[in-house]
């Protein structure tokens, strides 16, 4: 695919000045840790992935205790058991 370039589409998000300062501080820390320059897109993606990877067994317990019609409680029970097994291994 010579001569064909994929372009990334971006959007603008609004944050308060205080939030921007916090992001700048975190950006500097992450750049120092990784030893390379980052942009805000990379930083926010890292933060989002980190948050999504966090284990939250309390959420599964709550779903299992009080099922929501749209959610599969059997899946929640299985995931809860898997999380508890992981905890026991640690």
């Amino acid at each position: 695919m010579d001569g064909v370039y994929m372009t990334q589409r971006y959007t603008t998000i609004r944050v308060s000045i205080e939030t921007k300062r916090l992001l700048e501080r975190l950006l500097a820390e992450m750049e120092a840790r990784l030893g390379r320059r980052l942009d805000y897109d990379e930083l926010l993606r890292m933060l989002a992935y980190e948050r999504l990877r966090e284990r939250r067994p309390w959420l599964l317990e709550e779903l299992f205790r009080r099922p929501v019609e749209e959610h599969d409680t059997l899946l929640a029970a299985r995931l809860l058991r898997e999380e508890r097994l992981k905890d026991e291994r640690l």
Side-chain angles (χ1 to χ4, degrees):
M1 296 180 77
D2 287 335
V4 177
Y5 298 97
M6 301 294 289
T7 58
Q8 191 80 10
R9 292 187 57 142
Y10 292 94
T11 186
T12 301
I13 59 172
R14 292 174 54 145
V15 296
S16 69
I17 292 171
E18 180 61 27
T19 300
K20 186 169 190 275
R21 285 186 188 127
L22 291 170
L23 287 170
E24 288 170 344
R25 223 170 90 200
L26 186 56
L27 185 65
E29 288 178 20
M30 291 301 294
E31 287 176 340
R33 185 185 313 169
L34 297 173
R36 65 180 179 90
R37 299 284 301 179
L38 295 173
D39 59 23
Y40 286 105
D41 184 62
E42 287 179 292
L43 175 67
L44 293 171
R45 191 176 321 115
M46 286 179 187
L47 292 171
Y49 281 136
E50 183 178 309
R51 178 69 176 130
L52 291 173
R53 279 195 314 262
E54 281 183 13
R55 293 173 33 206
R56 294 172 282 174
W58 60 267
L59 185 58
L60 291 171
E61 285 179 1
E62 187 65 23
L63 180 58
F64 187 65
R65 236 190 326 255
R66 296 182 320 146
V68 177
E69 191 173 309
E70 300 89 36
H71 294 287
D72 183 357
T73 56
L74 294 176
L75 174 61
R78 183 178 58 79
L79 291 172
L80 181 58
R81 280 192 297 277
E82 289 173 6
E83 289 296 321
R84 286 186 176 160
L85 285 173
K86 287 177 190 175
D87 288 340
E88 290 173 7
R89 287 184 207 132
L90 297 176

